Amino acid sequence: METPDTTNPSNPVSASRPNPLTETPSSSLATPTLARGRGRGNPKSRGAPRGRGDRSKRHDVGRSAWARTPGDRRARNDAAQESAKRQRLNDGMPGRKPVYAVDFSREEIAGEERRPKRKVAVMIGYSGSGYKGMQLNDKEKTIEGDLFRAFVAAGAVSKANADDPKKSALVRCARTDKGVHAAGNVISMKLIIEDPDIVRKINDHLSPQIRVWGIVRTNASFSAYQLCDSRIYEYLIPSHCFLPPHPESYLGKKLVQLAEEAGDLEGYRQRQEEVAAFWDDTEEQCIKPFLETLDPSIRPLVLNALYHNVPAEEEEEAEETYIKVGTRSLNDDSATQDQQISEEGVQTARAAGSELQPPTQNAAENTAVPLNQSPHPDSQPPQLQEPTPAPPHPTSPDLQQSATPTHRPHEASPHEPSAAATSAIETALRTLRHALIAAKNAYRLPPARLTRIRSALALYSGTHPFHNYTIAKAANDPSAKRIIKSFTLAPAPLLINNTEWLSLKVHGQSFMMHQIRKMVSMAALVVRSGCPAARIAESYGPQRIVVPKAPGLGLLLERPVFESYNAKGRGEGRAEVGFEGWEEAVGAFKQREIYERVFREEERDRTFHVMFSNIDNQRSAQLLYLSSKGMAACEESGDAGLAGAQGREEVVAGESEDEDGEPEDG
């Protein structure tokens, strides 16, 4: 049957039907047949595209509401990167090649033999020093970037896929930040593994601080991130971080003052009784003998400059050298106006400082030994001749803050010291600071202090809202709740180069950004401040507080756990994902590339000394919740910073490193 031509006006069928595009039936003038809007009662409009004027309240949300909406941050970042890449290509701009991409010519790709890829789990370990974290970065050197290039060089990734890890479905189990280490981590991807010697070939193309322990075949749907049940992290921290603040520091004075106001002075002293004599003994044995060798005219200036500090805003004016901070105005209450600095005093200070010779360090001594081979916990602080001098660092708080007297910087000094006097005071201060650092390094934790640390760590176990231990999380945010299976302290500390270290291990389902480092910092602050351990439980409440994050230097991922996947795989005959069989190699690597690296970097940079020196001398009420008055001390001080504390903890901790917004474990 022939189809009528509806477009021909001579056709009767065409003439009897009005064209909706060119004609309007007369009936439509009275009763419109097409809806003019897209109201709720017009079902035909639901699939139509929306114009600028047709805004849906359900889908069109404001910027702040969108930011509060939980979503897949990883997917959003990937989508944004892909969108930017497509935009560059559309604009005719050449795509920027990532630092980890490997280019091959078309002829090389075409000439390569095609081999099958298998979904695998790759067990790895690495030291994060010198890397911008684990995760791939187009511009920076990362662990995954070096791994991917090694896979390509060893033939585990084909030349056709060498320019983009996504072609190999690379997924990490746990993302670690800049400088953070991992004795065991897992990535899942598709690799060419028919070569039985593929692991050795991959390691041949890696630096000694990155190792591949093994490769295990998995099922096709395996994801190292999605199927990880929990993760175990270790944190190494020197024992001297649990010493109380110096009695002359801002925090040390405030803790005693607020304990008296709260009627808890006796309780505060009981919580500090095992370390109550440390600072007095150190001053008697290390500080006073040296001060007696100085001329009386500069002695009070050196003593006051050693222990006191100026406000943080004044520190920013003196970033060139610590000498400038320490000598901005050397006269204060203990240095009267008619007091003169004699040349004899200058020469005495120089001579006393020149007698100190740095002891030689033996590289063979850098090995860990149990606590039972270390000096007795009640051993006396070292004498002045024992400290190891280090070159001054212009921005180190140990060199800046402790070298600042109690005077107000804007007050004019009636007698400015001469250049010779300034040099003499500088020499004396440097000598005394090294003596204090050596005394802190020689500190050994008594059993009572270890018990307090274990009690504090135990309060983290369970399911709690950790909004105060990360950034950009509200107290009522469900994603702030995390499960901590255990947080323990190793039975025996380590003794490295006369410094005692503690090993803390936390086992949790997942962790947010900075969470572990803030948990460690909070436990150390509670113990060293003589604060009731219950303050940790109070931090789970709605009040926002500042918790400085501990240095990333001591953090390492010990291993992820795939208990559910392995349990199911046993019945199916699959190999387990884990580190069984490589314990000896992992242990040797951890000692050589992680532990010893951490110890060396701390001895060189004194990161923990700097952090706690900043905290003790920060003239702010942000940390007064550590006092006997608790959270009320912050409210009474009127410090508004606690209401919006995030972003200010770096000022308290003295850190300025840049890290992205991804969580620690992905």
Side-chain angles (χ1 to χ4, degrees):
M1 180 177 179
E2 185 175 338
T3 304
D5 184 5
T6 60
T7 63
N8 186 356
S10 62
N11 190 309
V13 177
S14 174
S16 64
R17 292 184 180 178
N19 190 337
L21 300 179
T22 59
E23 300 182 42
T24 302
S26 59
S27 61
S28 65
L29 297 176
T31 307
T33 58
L34 295 177
R36 291 186 297 175
R38 282 184 21 253
R40 295 186 179 179
N42 184 10
K44 295 182 180 179
S45 66
R46 293 176 183 172
R50 295 185 175 93
R52 182 179 295 271
D54 297 320
R55 305 179 69 86
S56 170
K57 292 184 179 179
R58 180 179 178 182
H59 298 284
D60 186 17
V61 297
R63 181 178 299 175
S64 59
W66 178 87
R68 291 193 301 267
T69 303
D72 189 344
R73 185 178 299 171
R74 185 193 299 253
R76 286 204 309 265
N77 291 343
D78 291 344
Q81 293 174 4
E82 287 295 327
S83 177
K85 183 178 179 180
R86 287 194 300 269
Q87 186 63 43
R88 287 195 303 270
L89 295 176
N90 293 338
D91 294 342
M93 300 172 60
R96 184 178 65 245
K97 186 181 74 171
V99 295
Y100 52 80
V102 182
D103 281 339
F104 292 97
S105 66
R106 293 184 178 180
E107 292 76 14
E108 289 176 311
I109 294 175
E112 183 183 29
E113 178 186 359
R114 298 195 55 143
R115 293 174 294 170
K117 297 183 295 184
R118 307 296 183 191
K119 193 64 173 290
V120 298
V122 184
M123 274 62 71
I124 60 174
Y126 52 86
S127 168
S129 299
Y131 287 88
K132 293 291 185 177
M134 166 73 172
Q135 188 174 1
L136 287 167
N137 188 306
D138 289 357
K139 301 178 183 179
E140 304 286 356
K141 181 181 180 182
T142 65
I143 301 295
E144 283 184 341
D146 278 14
L147 276 169
F148 183 72
R149 294 180 68 89
F151 291 151
V152 174
V157 172
S158 65
K159 295 178 180 179
N161 296 335
D163 61 337
D164 189 357
K166 292 182 180 178
K167 296 179 180 179
S168 299
L170 189 151
V171 175
R172 72 199 65 82
C173 170
R175 171 202 174 278
T176 54
D177 290 328
K178 177 180 66 177
V180 177
H181 319 288
N185 202 348
V186 176
I187 60 175
S188 58
M189 61 188 304
K190 295 179 180 179
L191 291 180
I192 302 169
I193 57 171
E194 57 187 19
D195 186 348
D197 206 21
I198 189 64
V199 173
R200 183 192 62 79
K201 291 181 178 179
I202 294 172
N203 283 327
D204 287 345
H205 293 281
L206 290 170
S207 70
Q209 66 183 94
I210 305 178
R211 293 290 90 182
V212 172
W213 306 125
I215 300 176
V216 174
R217 281 283 304 273
T218 65
N219 58 22
S221 61
F222 178 78
S223 168
Y225 176 67
Q226 298 292 341
L227 295 180
C228 179
D229 296 308
S230 59
R231 298 152 177 90
I232 301 175
Y233 280 83
E234 182 178 12
Y235 195 92
L236 299 172
I237 184 171
S239 293
H240 62 70
C241 295
F242 297 91
L243 280 169
H246 193 279
E248 292 296 322
S249 67
Y250 175 81
L251 183 59
K253 291 180 177 179
K254 277 292 185 180
L255 292 174
V256 175
Q257 174 191 332
L258 295 177
E260 290 179 346
E261 294 178 5
D264 185 45
L265 186 59
E266 186 62 31
Y268 170 78
R269 289 172 175 169
Q270 288 179 357
R271 293 188 291 270
Q272 300 280 39
E273 61 181 351
E274 64 270 14
V275 292
F278 174 82
W279 289 114
D280 289 340
D281 292 345
T282 300
E283 186 161 337
E284 287 292 331
Q285 299 177 32
C286 297
I287 305 302
K288 286 186 177 180
F290 177 74
L291 289 176
E292 290 174 358
T293 66
L294 302 178
D295 186 89
S297 62
I298 66 171
R299 191 179 302 165
L301 305 180
V302 172
L303 185 61
N304 279 276
L306 180 65
Y307 289 135
H308 294 83
N309 185 35
V310 294
E313 61 267 23
E314 300 296 337
E315 294 175 11
E316 297 174 0
E317 301 175 3
E319 294 181 350
E320 294 181 2
T321 62
Y322 78 94
I323 305 173
K324 181 177 179 181
V325 180
T327 61
R328 195 179 307 170
S329 173
L330 289 172
N331 291 65
D332 57 11
D333 296 337
S334 61
T336 59
Q337 294 184 1
D338 58 349
Q339 187 177 29
Q340 301 293 327
I341 301 176
S342 66
E343 287 300 320
E344 179 184 356
V346 172
Q347 298 299 328
T348 303
R350 284 178 172 173
S354 63
E355 292 176 0
L356 293 179
Q357 299 295 330
T360 57
Q361 297 295 324
N362 187 352
E365 294 176 358
N366 193 21
T367 55
V369 296
L371 179 62
N372 56 18
Q373 297 182 21
S374 65
H376 191 273
D378 296 328
S379 59
Q380 300 298 324
Q383 298 302 314
L384 189 60
Q385 289 75 16
E386 294 187 8
T388 304
H393 192 284
T395 60
S396 171
D398 269 337
L399 300 178
Q400 285 187 347
Q401 297 181 358
S402 62
T404 308
T406 56
H407 66 275
R408 292 294 180 263
H410 62 270
E411 295 177 357
S413 171
H415 300 287
E416 288 294 336
S418 64
T422 297
S423 176
I425 295 172
E426 169 207 341
T427 301
L429 289 175
R430 185 183 304 172
T431 300
L432 291 175
R433 279 193 298 272
H434 293 322
L436 286 176
I437 290 175
K440 291 165 68 176
N441 288 341
Y443 172 66
R444 304 293 178 256
L445 281 169
R449 207 65 167 175
L450 292 170
T451 301
R452 296 188 194 278
I453 298 172
R454 291 190 175 95
S455 299
L457 297 177
L459 293 175
Y460 289 124
S461 298
T463 303
H464 305 289
F466 287 95
H467 56 282
N468 277 320
Y469 295 84
T470 185
I471 61 175
K473 294 286 185 184
N476 58 355
D477 190 339
S479 65
K481 284 193 174 183
R482 300 293 163 127
I483 300 174
I484 304 299
K485 296 177 178 291
S486 65
F487 207 147
T488 59
L489 171 65
L494 305 172
L495 185 65
I496 306 296
N497 285 350
N498 200 39
T499 300
E500 186 179 84
W501 291 75
L502 302 181
S503 172
L504 316 179
K505 290 191 178 181
V506 56
H507 184 188
Q509 192 176 61
S510 62
F511 300 94
M512 297 175 290
M513 185 179 184
H514 304 326
Q515 181 182 343
I516 298 174
R517 294 163 63 182
K518 286 176 176 282
M519 293 166 70
V520 171
S521 174
M522 185 66 163
L525 290 173
V526 165
V527 173
R528 72 192 300 270
S529 300
C531 174
R535 196 76 76 244
I536 292 178
E538 295 176 19
S539 70
Y540 304 143
Q543 183 172 354
R544 184 70 176 169
I545 61 173
V546 167
V547 180
K549 66 175 182 283
L553 174 68
L555 181 61
L556 66 105
L557 172 63
E558 183 171 283
R559 69 181 185 277
V561 179
F562 295 86
E563 185 177 355
S564 300
Y565 174 83
N566 290 337
K568 184 178 180 181
R570 293 186 195 104
E572 300 175 0
R574 288 198 308 263
E576 295 189 5
V577 176
F579 297 86
E580 292 74 13
W582 297 293
E583 292 91 348
E584 184 175 350
V586 171
F589 173 84
K590 185 161 63 170
Q591 178 66 36
R592 182 184 68 254
E593 296 294 338
I594 299 179
Y595 284 176
E596 294 184 9
R597 192 181 297 270
V598 170
F599 304 145
R600 288 196 304 269
E601 292 184 13
E602 170 60 18
E603 185 174 0
R604 180 193 67 203
D605 302 329
R606 296 170 181 167
T607 307
F608 290 94
H609 285 284
V610 168
M611 174 191 170
F612 287 102
S613 175
N614 257 337
I615 289 175
D616 293 347
N617 292 297
Q618 185 73 25
R619 294 179 181 269
S620 170
Q622 292 179 335
L623 296 179
L624 294 187
Y625 62 83
L626 297 168
S627 68
S628 298
K629 285 192 173 183
M631 304 295 182
C634 301
E635 299 172 358
E636 292 175 3
S637 69
D639 193 335
L642 291 172
Q646 64 188 48
R648 298 193 64 186
E649 57 263 44
E650 310 310 329
V651 177
V652 175
E655 298 192 27
S656 60
E657 65 182 27
D658 295 327
E659 299 184 65
D660 57 38
E662 291 286 323
E664 283 182 345
D665 57 7

